[in-house]
Amino acid sequence: MIRPSRGQWAGVALLLLLALFALGVPQLIPGDPTRQSLSNALLPPGGPFPLGTDAFGRDMVLRLAAAIRLSLGIALLTTALAGVIGVALGVLAGACGGWVDRALCGVADTLLALPGLLLVLLLVAIAPGQFWPLYLGVSLVLWVEYFRMTRAAALRIAASPAVEASRLLGFGPVYRFRRHYWPELAPITLTVGAFGSATSVMSVAALGFVNVGVRPPTPELGQMMIELMPYYNEAPLILAQPILVVFLLVLALNLIAGGKTQ
Amino acid sequence: MIRPILHRVAQAVLVALMVGVLTFALMRSLPGDMAWRVAAGRYGYDITDAAVMEQVRHSLALDQPAALALLSWFGDLLRLDLGVSLISELPVVDEIAHQLGASVTLALTALLLSVLIGPPLGVLAGLRPGGGLDRALFALSITLRALPQFVIGLLLIYGLAIVFGLLPASGHGEAGHVVLPALTLAIGLAAVSSRVARDATVAVTSSGYYRFGETKGLRPLENFLRHGLRNIAVPIVTYLGVQLVYLIEGVVVVETLFAWPGIGHALVHAILARDVPMIQGTALVMGLMFVLLNAGVDVVCGGLDPRRRAS
Amino acid sequence: MTVLIETDGLAVDGLDSIVRPTTLRVHAGVPFTILGETGSGKSLLAQAIAGTLPDGLAARGRVRINGRDVLGLSHADKRRHLWGRAIAILPQEPWLALDPTARAAPQVWEGFTRVLKLPRAAARAATGQALRALGLEDAARKLPGQLSGGMAQRVAFVAARAGGAPIVIADEPTKGLDAARRDDAVDLLKSGMGTTGGLLVISHDIAVPKRLGGEVAIMLKGSIIESGPVDQVLSNPRHNYTRRLLAADPAVWPEPAASPVGDRLIEVEGLAKSRGGRTLFRDLSFTLHRGEIIGVVGPSGCGKSSLGDLLLGVIAPDGGTIRRNPSWPALRFQKVWQDPPAAFAPQLTLRTALGDLVRRHGLAWDRIPPLMDRLGLSTALLDRPPGGISGGELQRFSLLRTLLLDPVFLFADEPTSRLDLITQQEIVGLMRDVARETGCGLLLVSHDHALINRVADRVIAIGPQSHLASSRLASPQVASPSLTSGDAA
């Protein structure tokens, strides 16, 4: 129905390339992204290590591929979880109105009271080094945006003559969702989902960067940057790699979301 | 005017509740004997013996069921008794009092810089949509928005401090030190606010009332000043409220990157050290700062937009 | 007589919005109306004269204002200089033309001070005087959002004229206004013109030139098909389209024949409804029979639509009772909406939407082609989305989908207020026929008294004291088998 723009296609292509890299590298280059080899520390790209090695002599190409899998995996899981919950509750609030709406809005307002990263930080502090606070925290932050956007659209759709007509013509709630709500919600869900995934990638990297996220030696983009930062002078090309990857990931997702400003 | 104030007060209470519950859960999840940790934090490691420990256990309601303990936890919070840092052994309130100034300086400088950079560029681009400046700004904005704050910071350090040696990369105390961290935050904020300003400008200049101003006979500049500026400013300031989330989150990351001795830096350190009282104190103050800044945005919005005052 | 506006071979070129070479003269003291339906190019013609054409459209030919060729003006700024000084341009929707964040008085004041160059204090005095002259003292300190539609209209009028321009160009100045406020707006324009000023009005509403007098030009598909003094053109139209347009005015529709009616369908007793603390109506009692048409009139926001929704059971009454004849299921009580595109799911083609309906109720698709025939719809339209066909066609489809369910009651909520006059006549005629042929009870809501008077068997006027104004009331006891045929079995 809605034709994607050129920018959106570019975003999809870029994301597919990154995913292909992340999934293809382990097939082509066997090895362990956490295996250290101090004699091979900070090798420049080329030779047996196509993208060079880090300060512990670990293979950058393997580490980057693993880090992208981790970032995209978390992003996919959290946006999917948040999306399903957020859209379902948003439609419920918008279509039902009344106390259901007020109660759900209350929950959303409560979560919005605290900046997202603070919430994630507090959850991570409870169980350091584990994954569940990351998933839970990021999902908690993301579902609110789905909820708010979906609810606003659902309120408008629920009040529209088209939905009233469907009800009078004898159609049930499933039909109304499929024919009236979903066609309008789908593009919103895509936009929020792409932005949400970008937020997730950024949050995980930020947590890694301040050392409270995923624990070493698991490769993670933010953590790789902080580890490589001391060597900006000796190995700028190695430090540039995780930075470039985060940039491309978020750029791809922002392009998919369209040129909008959230 | 009463409703927004009540809304912000309720928000502040919610912040305190959430931080309280989460840090309580955090305390309960700590390994080892909590009482000993907290007692040691309060009274020093040498004087902590079994008797003192029992006393602390009792006073902290650690020998009580969780619900009662939570009540007592909130009781302390209500009396603004934030306890003593487990690391520095100084009262949390004193620690935060030191750090708050640094964080507020950083946040406000960043906000000011972003307002000086973003909206003026956005308005200029919006006056000629599709023009050279508009397209360049769009490309720049989408690039910057794809960079996490710490990457913008790293690039600034690399560019300005290391290559050109213009500014100190980290540290605190001199005026020059605030420039890089504040600029890092400001660039991220301006990347978005310039787009909001651009879109608002396009919407306003193609609106019926802007057209009417022209056909009434006003000259272009007169029309822009009388009917453009205020209407463009309203969505920009409203959007500042949304951007505050980014600002507060950025403070945490950027302070860590630049070793800026503020609350965000302290929060990260406290989390690494699992210093529960400090985590609670810093998270609480950052949350309240968020609410307060939001209230400030409300006030500016109300001043700009007579519709808000009228309703 | 002084010629104020003069066009020779003025044309607008564009992709699908085109005005063919047009010649017209607007004289001082003689109002001039361009009358035409949506898409006839009348607004583009006015914009070409005023110099406010949207980007991408260009005018050619010649426009003279006060004898000066303005289309040939070398620089856009010189054209711009006419605005406010030589021509006042009244915007189409005044409530969108006032700056929403500025109070009314300064929006008028700026014309006196910046355009007319009066000193500040003199401009303030002039503003007060101009607002007072139109009874707008209370509006001065208000924001546009706090003004009623009529007040916003007058504020915009004062603001547009503050620069002292003698010629007024008004594009659809009565759009969205009910009859009383429409006449006020027209009178205001006429009195503002005086004997030396010029007035060019664009309208789709025949009532406007009728009340305004002067000259009228009828526009169709980008061309002026005839023009002349209002009396002459409207009383002795030469062009076929003009004749149809005049005949479509509800005021001249033929008187309806009194018609017998069928069984009791809905009985209403002591009905009361309020909204936002305001009583819309109370103690409303009436009975609707099969085959009967009840018209509902009243000013906008008075609760006309609420009455229909109450009868449908979509909203609940605050007091009183509504008894629907239990012989018929709720599915056979249907509704037709004011804005046709809003009443359809925008992404579905009409074939899909109707197919869904047929499948949902186990109907036969065979029933659709004859109904489309009856409603004057071509099958090619089925494969388009609702946004791809005209409002009149889509409104026929709304009627069609309700007919598939053999309605016994139809609530038509301003079904033609967004449609052109000729289309309105066709749609209302179809609805009346449906009511008579199938024995369906029709509740027809409209802001147009003339229309209701020509269609309805009885009229409910909603206002502070709602009452049932019975006109041509057929005896409700007379049940006619021929009217309740078809679906009654």
Side-chain angles (χ1 to χ4, degrees):
Chain A
M1 305 280 163
I2 288 140
R3 198 159 292 141
S5 68
R6 260 192 316 178
Q8 283 174 310
W9 279 124
V12 170
L14 189 53
L15 196 65
L16 282 178
L17 276 178
L18 287 164
L20 202 67
F21 172 79
L23 297 172
V25 162
Q27 309 298 321
L28 298 174
I29 309 168
D32 181 356
T34 61
R35 210 193 56 179
Q36 305 191 357
S37 159
L38 293 178
S39 56
N40 286 332
L42 293 175
L43 291 180
F49 302 104
L51 293 178
T53 57
D54 72 0
F56 297 98
R58 295 176 294 199
D59 191 347
M60 281 302 285
V61 76
L62 291 176
R63 289 183 68 72
L64 283 177
I68 296 175
R69 284 198 302 277
L70 179 80
S71 267
L72 278 184
I74 295 177
L76 207 66
L77 208 74
T78 50
T79 17
L81 187 64
V84 171
I85 295 173
V87 171
L89 294 182
V91 172
L92 199 66
C96 293
W99 67 267
V100 177
D101 186 28
R102 281 197 297 277
L104 288 171
C105 283
V107 175
D109 277 348
T110 310
L111 282 169
L112 281 181
L114 211 57
L117 195 69
L118 277 188
L119 185 68
V120 179
L121 275 174
L122 287 175
L123 286 173
V124 168
I126 292 176
Q130 292 182 30
F131 277 98
W132 70 262
L134 273 183
Y135 289 124
L136 179 67
V138 176
S139 302
L140 273 179
V141 174
L142 293 184
W143 83 271
V144 178
E145 193 58 21
Y146 277 108
F147 171 77
R148 292 191 332 147
M149 301 288 286
T150 311
R151 174 182 171 271
L155 271 179
R156 184 171 45 78
I157 299 167
S160 75
V163 165
E164 199 189 329
S166 266
R167 203 180 295 123
L168 280 176
L169 291 169
F171 291 109
V174 176
Y175 178 87
R176 292 203 296 272
F177 180 80
R178 191 164 62 93
R179 290 299 204 197
H180 293 278
Y181 290 89
W182 184 244
E184 294 209 36
L185 295 179
I188 299 175
T189 310
L190 176 76
T191 306
V192 177
F195 272 130
S197 303
T199 307
S200 169
V201 170
M202 291 249 220
S203 300
V204 171
L207 289 175
F209 189 79
V210 298
N211 259 322
V212 295
V214 179
R215 281 290 143 106
T218 311
E220 195 284 317
L221 293 165
Q223 194 154 57
M224 289 165 79
M225 288 182 223
I226 201 84
E227 280 174 6
L228 289 165
M229 210 161 66
Y231 312 104
Y232 67 87
N233 219 4
E234 305 155 63
L237 284 181
I238 306 292
L239 171 60
Q241 289 172 28
I243 293 179
L244 188 67
V245 167
V246 168
F247 170 70
L248 290 178
L249 272 176
V250 179
L251 181 68
L253 291 166
N254 278 349
L255 283 173
I256 293 174
K260 305 179 198 79
T261 42
Q262 310 207 319
Chain B
M1 222 49 216
I2 293 293
R3 271 185 70 91
I5 294 173
L6 282 180
H7 176 77
R8 293 302 170 200
V9 170
Q11 210 187 5
V13 172
L14 285 176
V15 164
L17 269 175
M18 277 196 354
V19 171
V21 168
L22 286 169
T23 46
F24 178 76
L26 171 55
M27 181 193 69
R28 285 273 177 172
S29 75
L30 285 184
D33 194 317
M34 253 320 292
W36 188 83
R37 298 271 309 242
V38 178
R42 288 216 174 154
Y43 306 109
Y45 285 79
D46 13 324
I47 62 152
T48 308
D49 58 22
V52 174
M53 220 169 88
E54 260 328 293
Q55 192 194 335
V56 171
R57 276 176 88 93
H58 189 69
S59 75
L60 279 178
L62 287 173
D63 49 356
Q64 314 261 324
L68 274 177
L70 182 63
L71 273 183
S72 136
W73 185 259
F74 276 115
D76 286 348
L77 197 58
L78 212 60
R79 281 182 278 117
L80 291 180
D81 178 0
L82 296 174
V84 174
S85 163
L86 299 183
I87 306 298
S88 71
E89 297 174 28
L90 294 169
V92 169
V93 176
D94 295 351
E95 291 248 342
I96 290 178
H98 277 112
Q99 298 148 351
L100 184 61
S103 283
V104 168
T105 308
L106 175 61
L108 291 185
T109 313
L111 208 55
L112 184 71
L113 273 177
S114 85
V115 169
L116 290 178
I117 300 169
L121 281 174
V123 170
L124 282 178
L127 286 175
R128 296 200 53 193
L133 178 65
D134 188 25
R135 279 178 301 169
L137 211 59
F138 178 70
L140 189 64
S141 159
I142 199 158
T143 307
L144 286 173
R145 272 188 288 147
L147 292 173
Q149 289 139 329
F150 52 88
V151 172
I152 297 179
L154 282 177
L155 294 176
L156 281 179
I157 292 177
Y158 191 74
L160 294 178
I162 295 174
V163 175
F164 297 107
L166 289 177
L167 291 160
S170 66
H172 177 62
E174 292 166 44
H177 285 135
V178 78
V179 174
L180 271 187
L183 198 60
T184 302
L185 286 171
I187 286 177
L189 291 169
V192 181
S193 66
S194 67
R195 293 307 293 172
V196 174
R198 182 261 179 204
D199 292 348
T201 307
V202 172
V204 167
T205 52
S206 57
S207 71
Y209 57 84
Y210 202 77
R211 197 79 177 135
F212 188 43
E214 287 179 331
T215 59
K216 266 195 263 186
L218 296 181
R219 282 187 313 229
L221 184 64
E222 282 171 347
N223 195 28
F224 180 74
L225 294 177
R226 290 191 66 84
H227 300 300
L229 217 46
R230 179 190 293 267
N231 285 297
I232 293 169
V234 169
I236 297 175
V237 175
T238 308
Y239 199 78
L240 272 186
V242 178
Q243 289 200 294
L244 290 178
V245 175
Y246 181 93
L247 181 68
I248 296 291
E249 294 181 356
V251 163
V252 175
V253 175
V254 167
E255 284 186 354
T256 307
L257 173 64
F258 288 93
W260 184 260
I263 294 178
H265 195 186
L267 172 63
V268 170
H269 268 259
I271 287 176
L272 287 174
R274 314 202 75 189
D275 182 348
V276 180
M278 272 304 284
I279 294 178
Q280 169 170 286
T282 47
L284 188 66
V285 170
M286 293 205 79
L288 292 180
M289 191 159 107
F290 173 63
V291 176
L292 205 65
L293 283 170
N294 259 313
V297 168
D298 286 349
V299 170
V300 178
C301 269
L304 270 176
D305 189 348
R307 287 169 297 187
R308 289 208 180 205
R309 290 193 300 264
S311 65
Chain C
M1 255 188 314
T2 327
V3 178
L4 295 177
I5 301 177
E6 188 178 2
T7 74
D8 281 306
L10 176 62
V12 179
D13 301 325
L15 275 177
D16 50 6
S17 40
I18 294 171
V19 177
R20 300 221 174 77
T22 302
T23 300
L24 58 83
R25 303 272 179 279
V26 177
H27 297 96
V30 183
F32 193 105
T33 308
I34 301 175
L35 193 65
E37 58 187 29
T38 317
S40 60
K42 58 187 192 303
S43 287
L44 287 176
L45 178 57
Q47 287 164 0
I49 292 170
T52 55
L53 277 175
D55 290 339
L57 291 180
R60 61 187 162 81
R62 193 174 11 208
V63 180
R64 286 171 181 278
I65 290 178
N66 292 330
R68 206 161 142 228
D69 187 355
V70 294
L71 214 54
L73 282 181
S74 55
H75 202 263
D77 280 354
K78 289 187 183 157
R79 189 76 189 270
R80 189 184 271 270
H81 194 77
L82 296 170
W83 294 345
R85 294 167 185 88
I87 47 175
I89 300 161
L90 204 59
Q92 207 176 65
E93 281 156 301
W95 34 96
L96 297 181
L98 296 173
D99 182 344
T101 59
R103 295 181 194 281
Q107 303 201 46
V108 175
W109 175 82
E110 65 192 14
F112 286 113
T113 173
R114 301 293 159 102
V115 184
L116 207 56
K117 305 282 183 202
L118 290 181
R120 300 175 79 88
R124 227 178 347 263
T127 303
Q129 201 179 0
L131 288 172
R132 257 195 312 283
L134 293 183
L136 290 166
E137 302 91 332
D138 295 339
R141 299 282 310 146
K142 284 188 177 160
L143 293 166
Q146 298 165 320
L147 300 176
S148 70
M151 279 164 99
Q153 174 104 40
R154 280 175 285 159
V155 170
F157 179 74
V158 174
R161 300 214 55 201
I167 305 172
V168 173
I169 299 180
D171 192 358
E172 293 281 11
T174 63
K175 196 175 179 180
L177 300 180
D178 58 32
R181 288 193 315 181
R182 175 192 67 201
D183 291 346
D184 290 345
V186 171
D187 293 347
L188 178 61
L189 286 170
K190 194 174 180 181
S191 65
M193 177 185 62
T195 53
T196 54
L199 177 60
L200 176 65
V201 177
I202 314 302
S203 184
H204 71 284
D205 188 348
I206 281 194
V208 172
K210 271 189 182 163
R211 193 166 180 95
L212 208 48
E215 294 191 64
V216 65
I218 313 287
M219 206 156 171
L220 177 68
K221 291 176 183 160
S223 303
I224 288 181
I225 52 170
E226 67 177 299
S227 63
V230 170
D231 297 340
Q232 188 190 315
V233 172
L234 297 190
S235 62
N236 188 17
R238 281 172 298 136
H239 200 281
N240 188 32
Y241 173 78
T242 315
R243 278 195 285 275
R244 277 175 60 210
L245 194 65
L246 288 169
D249 183 3
V252 300
W253 289 1
E255 283 277 332
S259 80
V261 294
D263 305 340
R264 287 162 176 259
L265 193 58
I266 304 177
E267 288 172 78
V268 174
E269 249 180 62
L271 190 64
K273 183 74 190 170
S274 53
R275 186 172 53 205
R278 194 167 60 90
T279 303
L280 296 173
F281 45 77
R282 58 193 161 82
D283 292 332
L284 188 62
S285 303
F286 63 94
T287 302
L288 177 67
H289 303 83
R290 296 203 61 188
E292 183 181 29
I293 302 172
I294 291 191
V296 183
V297 291
S300 46
C302 73
K304 299 190 292 286
S305 304
S306 302
L307 177 59
D309 287 339
L310 283 165
L311 296 196
L312 281 174
V314 174
I315 56 174
D318 296 340
T321 56
I322 299 167
R323 271 192 304 277
R324 297 203 280 185
N325 190 326
S327 321
W328 295 288
L331 199 57
R332 296 177 66 178
F333 291 73
Q334 288 295 332
K335 175 172 175 179
V336 171
W337 279 263
Q338 173 176 24
D339 186 20
F344 286 82
Q347 281 91 353
L348 300 185
T349 64
L350 292 157
R351 188 184 294 283
T352 315
L354 289 176
D356 287 346
L357 186 63
V358 165
R359 224 169 306 120
R360 171 72 183 84
H361 298 293
L363 307 171
W365 180 267
D366 300 349
R367 291 192 54 194
I368 292 176
L371 275 174
M372 287 185 70
D373 236 27
R374 174 69 183 86
L375 296 174
L377 289 165
S378 83
T379 30
L381 300 175
L382 278 174
D383 292 307
R384 304 216 200 136
I389 67 176
S390 75
E393 286 163 340
L394 198 54
Q395 200 63 299
R396 287 165 210 248
F397 272 109
S398 340
L399 199 53
L400 186 149
R401 69 177 176 186
T402 62
L403 290 179
L404 283 174
L405 298 175
D406 300 321
V408 290
F409 170 71
L410 203 53
F411 164 37
D413 189 3
E414 297 266 16
T416 57
S417 68
R418 307 267 169 108
L419 305 176
D420 291 312
L421 273 179
I422 295 175
T423 316
Q424 161 168 290
Q425 190 181 22
E426 291 165 356
I427 299 276
V428 172
L430 280 171
M431 288 189 164
R432 186 194 52 219
D433 294 351
V434 162
R436 301 296 189 225
E437 288 167 20
T438 70
C440 171
L442 179 62
L443 188 80
L444 181 62
V445 163
S446 176
H447 64 279
D448 189 340
H449 286 255
L451 183 148
I452 291 293
N453 277 331
R454 298 293 162 168
V455 180
D457 300 316
R458 290 186 290 162
V459 180
I460 298 173
I462 294 195
Q465 314 86 26
S466 298
H467 60 281
L468 187 61
S470 308
S471 60
R472 303 181 305 277
L473 180 58
S475 165
Q477 275 74 36
V478 183
S480 157
S482 67
L483 284 171
T484 52
S485 67
D487 58 353

